[in-house]
Amino acid sequence: MREENKEIRIRSIDEINEKIKRGDAVVLTAEEVIKLAESSGVEAVAKEVDVVTTGTFGAMCSSGVFLNFGHSDPPIKMVRCWLNDVPVYKGLAAVDGYLGATSISETRGLEYGGGHVIEDLVSGKEVVLRAESYGTDCYPRRHIETVITIDDLNQAILVNPRNCYQRYEAATNSSDRILYTYMGTLLPNYGNVTFSGAGQLNPLCKDPSYETIGFGTKIFLGGGVGYIIGEGTQHNPEPGYGTLMVKGDLKQMNSRYLRGASFYRYGPTLYIGIGIPIPIINMSVAKTVALRDEDIFVNIRDYAVPSRPDLRPIIKRVSYAELRSGKVYLGDRKVPSSSLSSYKMAREIAETLKKWILEGMFFLTKPIEPLPKRGKFKPLEIRRKEPKVGDIMNRHVIIAKPNDDVNSVAAKLVEKGIDHLPVVDDEGKLIGIVTSWDLAKAIAYNKRRLDEIMTRRVITAFENESIDVVVRRMAQHNISGVPVVDAMNRVIGILTTDDISRKIVGGRNVT
Amino acid sequence: MRVKLIYSHDVVEKPILASIVLKTGVPINILEAKVNAQKGELIVSIPATGDKLREVLNLFREAGVQVQEFTETLRIDWDKCMACGACISPCPTGALKFKDDWSIEFDDEKCVACKVCVTACPVRAISLP
Ligand code: SF4
Ligand code: SF4
């Protein structure tokens, strides 16, 4: 027997719609239903409540809009296209395009992008349309530059491949420098924790086994009406990380619920408001709609480790209640925590959807297909050989001892034509580094021993690290070389920007 | 209150700030410092009001330091603010926090003008002149 059949039906969606039509449906927001369950129990929820409204308002990078510009005269087959200098994807028919939320302005950089253009369109602002083509017999025009508003577009259809994460992992930073990420500003040394998602108001958290939410479910999307058109990309329901693919008519939406945003040094995105009505059709839904922040858990991950999201170390497992309290205990330290998504807006969305239903403006739909209960969320394996630090580094590393004489070391650097000299103790462990510039200064100021002038906080690399990660580290610290050390901090090589540019040519091949 | 202190060539090497701290007992907090042999500019926050504040400012002036008061503080564009909270936990002093209704509250007195929140805000609703 399938699990769904075991549930005793309380009311059907048709019955609820009849009540909405008559004006006597009982609709509560997710927060209100939690209070009811706490005071009167889940049975009261099942008996008294027809619909629970949910809401979320957060950054959703996998969003964008299909646009149809209409044909100019003479017509153009747009091959490349920009709106306010933000590239629009043009691998579609002549005047169709897709503007993605994270597309970056070619003139204003990371501060302005697709998300901002979408907000500008929705608020009725004029937007500069520019396009280029090679010209064909049927589409002779090769350039176009004009100004449009959303009213000039034939269609503007928001189609978002992944929205409305059921929950999302929180973030912190163990490193000694500030990190600017899509999880916001992360202060050094576990200075703060950021998180996203509305927790107890979050739509998929309230129906985690997808008994009522599915293909064709009508929803609140960006202030207008939208539909769920399937599971989202990276839909991973088993551990509780389901996602949705949604669509809706941008022309009906409201810029209060679609906000262009930009995370500093990460880039543009779009904040979207989504609300989903959950009909109380059976006891199991009556139970899950009453889940509270205290019952919904996520991991806090360390964004200082430059690995893919699921490999970043888990620092702690916490509930949304703890995250939202503003303080999270990491060990015995109290660390400030705050959200990136807006709980206030999530509340407002749940309230608005409730009002729509109570006023008979919004009816529920029966999904034509449930969301898949299983997902695929595999990492991308790299099958081509990619150089690691160990492939490029110089293993014949010249080293020095802390009590070496400055003049003889300087002579050695000149003779070997090198710039970086790791300083090691008697066991070969790294204790400092000296560059040719340090030596020039040392000689000028008459210093004698290396340990008087060496830099003791050395930036290093490991043999199995990716070149890109180490190149970024060198750029951040404004240095041109790093000693490569083993797990015991013994120097086994040296990697310089010269080695990298000499050995990686053209593509990514090691010569 | 936040002020900019401009030290001329003649006074830049004297321990003026330290002696004023000792004399008045006001723990002046340095927010930003640009000092070289010719000139120095400090932005400081002085946790004092009324007569005490006037005393501190006068002592700086008497010592030959030019004092510029900041009248402008952090500005939040409430029409833009979506109450996300991205500015709250990065703020080192707790000057930004949620109210009971989950909108944002800013406490001018706690702000040390570090500007961390300016870049942390994803809709650039915060500015500091
Ligand atoms: S400027 Fe610094 S101290 Fe002031 S509110 Fe912003 S983050 Fe907090
Ligand atoms: S980060 Fe910006 S939008 Fe978010 S709460 Fe702070 S001021 Fe408002």
Side-chain angles (χ1 to χ4, degrees):
Chain A
M1 200 203 240
R2 287 177 60 199
E3 208 187 341
E4 290 98 300
N5 297 342
K6 279 192 294 192
E7 278 299 334
I8 303 156
R9 193 176 67 92
I10 299 174
R11 55 180 78 73
S12 73
I13 289 175
D14 288 336
E15 285 159 10
I16 295 173
N17 280 337
E18 278 306 314
K19 282 180 146 184
I20 296 174
K21 216 176 279 171
R22 290 201 304 270
D24 54 17
V26 176
V27 186
L28 296 188
T29 67
E31 281 183 326
E32 290 164 343
V33 88
I34 289 169
K35 281 201 199 113
L36 177 65
E38 277 169 355
S39 64
S40 317
V42 179
E43 290 71 25
V45 172
K47 208 167 137 221
E48 294 164 22
V49 184
D50 297 307
V51 186
V52 170
T53 58
T54 61
T56 188
F57 184 83
M60 307 192 195
C61 287
S62 236
S63 301
V65 53
F66 280 106
L67 304 163
N68 180 280
F69 299 109
H71 288 290
S72 57
D73 193 39
I76 180 170
K77 174 179 185 262
M78 297 178 182
V79 174
R80 304 211 297 148
C81 171
W82 298 261
L83 287 172
N84 284 353
D85 293 338
V86 175
V88 174
Y89 175 73
K90 267 309 298 150
L92 300 166
V95 294
D96 282 324
Y98 184 77
L99 173 65
T102 69
S103 188
I104 296 163
S105 162
E106 289 181 357
T107 48
R108 290 158 74 180
L110 298 182
E111 286 295 298
Y112 188 86
H116 299 89
V117 178
I118 294 172
E119 181 186 332
D120 285 346
L121 281 170
V122 174
S123 25
K125 288 195 186 146
E126 287 191 337
V127 168
V128 177
L129 165 66
R130 197 156 53 82
E132 289 173 3
S133 180
Y134 44 82
T136 71
D137 287 345
C138 38
Y139 292 107
R141 188 195 281 269
R142 296 176 56 165
H143 297 280
I144 200 163
E145 179 155 354
T146 183
V147 171
I148 59 161
T149 68
I150 194 167
D151 296 333
D152 299 315
L153 294 162
N154 287 319
Q155 283 80 25
I157 306 168
L158 197 73
V159 178
N160 304 338
R162 180 173 69 256
N163 275 181
C164 211
Y165 252 110
Q166 193 162 344
R167 69 189 88 189
Y168 205 84
E169 307 271 81
T172 192
N173 168 19
S174 68
S175 79
D176 56 7
R177 61 182 193 92
I178 197 163
L179 295 180
Y180 299 103
T181 70
Y182 64 82
M183 289 302 284
T185 301
L186 298 173
L187 301 178
N189 306 315
Y190 305 102
N192 65 333
V193 170
T194 62
F195 67 100
S196 192
Q200 61 189 14
L201 272 173
N202 221 38
L204 289 183
C205 281
K206 311 263 77 180
D207 179 13
S209 42
Y210 317 139
E211 300 208 25
T212 72
I213 299 176
F215 289 52
T217 299
K218 192 160 119 184
I219 61 172
F220 171 110
L221 180 60
V225 166
Y227 293 89
I228 294 170
I229 54 175
E231 80 275 28
T233 53
Q234 293 182 14
H235 178 62
N236 190 19
E238 283 141 305
Y241 295 91
T243 69
L244 298 175
M245 191 176 289
V246 300
K247 79 154 270 217
D249 181 2
L250 193 73
K251 293 192 177 206
Q252 296 173 16
M253 295 183 193
N254 180 335
S255 59
R256 182 166 177 79
Y257 305 105
L258 283 175
R259 296 290 305 276
S262 173
F263 283 98
Y264 185 64
R265 293 198 189 160
Y266 165 77
T269 183
L270 184 68
Y271 271 69
I272 302 187
I274 296 184
I276 301 183
I278 300 183
I280 309 300
I281 54 166
N282 61 33
M283 204 57 200
S284 109
V285 181
K287 270 186 210 135
T288 55
V289 287
L291 286 176
R292 303 156 308 162
D293 276 347
E294 287 84 340
D295 310 314
I296 305 165
F297 285 81
V298 288
N299 298 314
I300 302 176
R301 294 203 183 247
D302 182 4
Y303 274 61
V305 176
S307 279
R308 55 171 218 252
D310 58 314
L311 293 183
R312 290 187 185 122
I314 295 173
I315 304 299
K316 192 184 177 184
R317 195 160 173 80
V318 279
S319 71
Y320 270 94
E322 184 171 353
L323 289 169
R324 211 178 297 289
S325 74
K327 292 266 184 271
V328 169
Y329 277 93
L330 296 183
D332 49 12
R333 252 181 78 198
K334 242 168 126 193
V335 172
S337 63
S338 66
S339 52
L340 304 163
S341 53
S342 173
Y343 193 76
K344 181 168 180 265
M345 292 295 291
R347 248 185 182 177
E348 181 179 313
I349 289 161
E351 286 289 348
T352 308
L353 183 55
K354 172 181 165 179
K355 196 164 148 257
W356 288 359
I357 299 171
L358 288 177
E359 289 174 358
M361 293 158 55
F362 187 105
F363 292 90
L364 309 195
T365 54
K366 247 184 293 184
I368 49 169
E369 193 79 66
L371 289 179
K373 298 221 165 72
R374 261 165 229 226
K376 270 215 171 90
F377 186 44
K378 301 178 285 143
L380 173 65
E381 265 176 58
I382 297 170
R383 301 227 166 81
R384 297 270 165 87
K385 180 159 165 46
E386 212 179 36
K388 298 270 186 199
V389 169
D391 301 322
I392 306 255
M393 70 182 190
N394 188 349
R395 287 176 194 273
H396 307 288
V397 47
I398 296 160
I399 49 168
K401 291 286 169 64
N403 50 8
D404 280 357
D405 173 67
V406 163
N407 287 313
S408 63
V409 168
K412 203 151 99 188
L413 282 196
V414 173
E415 178 197 330
K416 306 277 181 188
I418 53 175
D419 280 326
H420 301 83
L421 194 67
V423 183
V424 300
D425 66 10
D426 288 339
E427 290 161 35
K429 290 188 182 169
L430 182 69
I431 53 169
I433 192 163
V434 173
T435 64
S436 37
W437 172 243
D438 295 330
L439 281 173
K441 266 199 306 194
I443 292 165
Y445 290 115
N446 235 334
K447 301 267 191 264
R448 304 239 55 92
R449 281 162 48 117
L450 276 196
D451 56 1
E452 295 177 65
I453 60 155
M454 70 186 186
T455 303
R456 285 167 201 274
R457 263 192 79 216
V458 193
I459 311 298
T460 60
F462 291 116
E463 199 176 4
N464 59 0
E465 278 192 287
S466 134
I467 294 288
D468 286 349
V469 169
V470 178
V471 166
R472 202 174 147 73
R473 189 176 306 147
M474 288 201 246
Q476 264 154 1
H477 291 93
N478 199 15
I479 52 175
S480 57
V482 286
V484 182
V485 294
D486 65 11
M488 308 288 292
N489 203 29
R490 284 179 305 227
V491 177
I492 56 168
I494 189 145
L495 181 74
T496 66
T497 45
D498 277 354
D499 297 329
I500 296 166
S501 48
R502 212 160 350 108
K503 292 182 188 165
I504 304 181
V505 269
R508 283 247 159 254
N509 300 321
V510 187
T511 55
Chain B
M1 122 156 293
R2 272 191 305 133
V3 297
K4 186 192 258 183
L5 303 174
I6 302 168
Y7 289 62
S8 67
H9 174 67
D10 314 332
V11 296
V12 75
E13 295 201 331
K14 295 187 189 150
I16 298 170
L17 189 129
S19 44
I20 295 178
V21 169
L22 286 176
K23 187 157 178 202
T24 60
V26 175
I28 299 171
N29 190 12
I30 300 177
L31 306 174
E32 249 179 76
K34 278 181 244 155
V35 185
N36 60 36
Q38 275 76 48
K39 200 180 167 188
E41 268 185 27
L42 296 184
I43 297 177
V44 297
S45 114
I46 305 174
T49 49
D51 285 347
K52 198 80 190 166
L53 178 64
R54 237 163 289 142
E55 183 194 346
V56 172
L57 295 181
N58 282 337
L59 285 170
F60 276 111
R61 292 196 181 101
E62 282 161 20
V65 177
Q66 199 186 323
V67 178
Q68 277 177 13
E69 296 178 16
F70 278 93
T71 42
E72 300 256 38
T73 61
L74 193 77
R75 240 182 306 174
I76 302 180
D77 181 339
W78 296 110
D79 288 337
K80 273 193 186 169
C81 173
M82 47 191 189
C84 63
C87 56
I88 294 180
S89 67
C91 169
T93 65
L96 291 153
K97 60 176 204 246
F98 280 119
K99 292 192 221 169
D100 284 347
D101 69 351
W102 298 103
S103 59
I104 304 293
E105 190 170 66
F106 170 59
D107 183 349
D108 210 346
E109 289 295 308
K110 284 193 183 155
C111 176
V112 295
C114 70
K115 295 188 182 179
V116 167
C117 58
V118 173
T119 48
C121 174
V123 291
R124 307 289 174 262
I126 307 179
S127 55
L128 191 85

